[in-house]
Amino acid sequence: MHLSVMAMPDPNDPRGLSAVTEPIVDADRAGFHRAWLPQLPPLAGMAPWDALTALTVAARDAGRIRFGTGVVVAYTQHPLALARQALTTNAATGGRLTLGIGVSHPFMVEALGYSYEKPVAFLREYLEVLLPALAGEPVDHHGRHITAVGQVTLAGAPAPRLVTAALGPRMLDLAGELTDGTITSWAGPNALEKHIIPGITRAAARSGRPAPQVIAGLPVVVTTDPDHAREQLATRFEMASQTPAYGAVLAKEGASTVGDVCVVGDETHVERQLRRLSEIGVTEFVASPHGDAAQAARTIEFLSSLRL
């Protein structure tokens, strides 16, 4: 199992773009497999950096590490435009990009004025345009949700790997059928082992695709006070447990709050939790280091030393 990190930049950091790129360069030097950046929708109170542009800039000083978007919200960008941007970033990074996309949640999408009706059907149409566009093929699509006519032709721009944020059965079927795998949030080991990994693996096999990537992302805190750390995480991410998708995956885990599924404890306990994820078939773990400055530094230092 590969170990990667999720950078969580503060858009209000006075250092500007360097506050986004410096943690990625640090992750490269520390030997992590991949650096991921989220792409939150531009809602009230949010002013997120563009993830693909930031990764392109970071690649100038991070020459080894791979990159990923975790995730671009499909509703916010036409698939032909996203194909062009992703191909540009993948060319600039020397083919090191994995493009993660998803449909987010109703309150985020509807706040932008879009309908969240039938998100699985929407994402299927989106992928039916995006995949051939990434391959440089002409597109002539007139569907219920998306109209797209055109072709993205960029010489020397290879298509990136593509994964989707999938937790429920229908979204996992779609991810296994059409993409390289899934990237999950708030899914613990029971949900991954009993539902997510079997579901996407069956879908990939039915479609004649290779074994899918299963990329699991969770907060990590290396600490001697795990109860306090879990309480803080539960409070900070309380809204996540209230969304239908995350609430359902927490229920599969038997967890009451998101703090219950985070990877928390001293070095021995954190390593044990990560090894369990590796044993059940997670192919890549994306750590979001949390806690105070000392805890976050301790977490990053320990994770960079692990070989799973």
Side-chain angles (χ1 to χ4, degrees), residues 75 103 115-124 144-145 170:
Y75 287 95
V103 293
S115 169
Y116 199 77
E117 182 185 11
K118 300 185 183 301
V120 178
F122 171 83
L123 188 58
R124 176 174 290 278
R144 176 179 177 183
H145 301 280
R170 294 179 61 213

Side-chain angles (χ1 to χ4, degrees):
M1 182 177 75
H2 296 295
L3 282 180
S4 301
V5 290
M6 177 75 74
M8 299 294 290
D10 178 1
N12 298 313
D13 192 310
R15 293 177 296 161
L17 188 56
S18 64
V20 186
T21 59
E22 285 175 6
I24 296 172
V25 175
D26 291 342
D28 181 45
R29 292 171 180 160
F32 285 102
H33 175 69
R34 195 186 321 269
W36 293 82
L37 271 180
Q39 183 65 82
L40 298 173
L43 302 178
M46 297 182 184
W49 292 99
D50 181 77
L52 286 167
T53 304
L55 291 173
T56 301
V57 174
R60 297 179 304 181
D61 298 313
R64 177 204 56 84
I65 197 168
R66 296 169 175 84
F67 306 103
T69 58
V71 294
V72 174
V73 178
Y75 287 95
T76 63
Q77 195 165 354
H78 191 277
L80 289 180
L82 179 58
R84 178 180 60 187
Q85 188 181 16
L87 286 167
T88 302
T89 296
N90 202 34
T93 61
R96 290 181 281 157
L97 175 68
T98 290
L99 177 63
I101 67 170
V103 293
S104 190
H105 307 283
F107 76 95
M108 284 191 172
V109 172
E110 291 167 357
L112 297 173
Y114 299 118
S115 169
Y116 199 77
E117 182 185 11
K118 300 185 183 301
V120 178
F122 171 83
L123 188 58
R124 176 174 290 278
E125 273 197 47
Y126 197 96
L127 292 171
E128 288 172 350
V129 174
L130 180 63
L131 286 165
L134 289 171
E137 300 169 1
V139 174
D140 189 357
H141 181 94
H142 301 266
R144 176 179 177 183
H145 301 280
I146 296 171
T147 298
V149 179
Q151 184 174 11
V152 181
T153 54
L154 298 175
R161 302 292 294 272
L162 178 66
V163 297
T164 56
L167 296 173
R170 294 179 61 213
M171 200 66 83
L172 288 167
D173 283 346
L174 180 60
E177 177 188 346
L178 295 181
T179 76
D180 297 307
T182 183
I183 177 169
T184 69
S185 296
W186 307 117
N190 291 331
L192 286 160
E193 182 178 22
K194 297 176 182 178
H195 300 280
I196 293 171
I197 295 174
I200 194 171
T201 301
R202 285 193 300 267
R206 285 196 303 267
S207 301
R209 296 182 63 87
Q213 296 182 53
V214 179
I215 304 164
L218 287 170
V220 182
V221 183
V222 176
T223 176
T224 54
D225 190 356
D227 292 339
H228 179 65
R230 290 188 188 280
E231 289 174 4
Q232 287 188 314
L233 290 166
T235 299
R236 178 171 182 179
F237 297 106
E238 183 179 6
M239 182 178 292
S241 63
Q242 298 172 359
T243 64
Y246 294 151
V249 79
L250 289 173
K252 289 183 173 68
E253 196 69 27
S256 57
T257 73
V258 295
D260 296 331
V261 297
C262 296
V263 178
V264 176
D266 63 18
E267 284 82 354
T268 300
H269 285 85
V270 166
E271 181 174 357
R272 185 180 302 147
Q273 292 171 74
L274 294 179
R275 288 198 181 280
R276 182 184 176 191
L277 294 176
S278 178
E279 289 164 0
I280 65 176
V282 172
T283 60
E284 180 178 346
F285 179 76
V286 185
S288 298
H290 280 273
D292 58 31
Q295 288 173 328
R298 178 181 176 185
T299 299
I300 293 170
E301 181 179 6
F302 176 66
L303 291 175
S304 67
S305 72
L306 280 179
R307 297 296 179 266
L308 300 175

